[in-house]
Amino acid sequence: MKDPRDVILTPVVSEKSYALLEEGVYVFNVHRSASKPEIRDAVESIFDVTVTRVNTLNRKGKRKRNRRNASFTKKPDSKRAIVTLAEGDSIDVFGA
């Protein structure tokens, strides 16, 4: 994964992520095989900011039940990155 746009997929839109924006912490959905250094480099190159810390978490996809034919499906697993920026840096996530 050389292209930064392949590492960072989408920003996470939730109440918790909105509350973290004021502290300079941003949450992104990232590629499942992306490492912390790759995520750091991708955020720094895309948004032109300085990253101080990257935390990641793997989320298992939920199992959904189909009532019609009594079968189960599974939503895909995902990986999130919680990125802390240097003091004074910010990202306009919803403007671009």
Side-chain angles (χ1 to χ4, degrees), residues 23-26 40 50-55 81-86:
E23 301 171 12
V25 177
Y26 296 84
R40 173 190 304 267
T50 304
V51 176
T52 58
R53 184 163 60 181
V54 175
N55 294 341
I82 303 169
V83 178
T84 305
L85 301 182

Side-chain angles (χ1 to χ4, degrees), residues 1 3 9 15-16 25 27 52 57 63 71-72 84:
M1 272 186 285
D3 187 25
L9 301 178
E15 289 184 27
K16 194 171 189 178
V25 177
V27 183
T52 58
L57 56 116
R63 196 172 97 158
S71 65
F72 290 95
T84 305

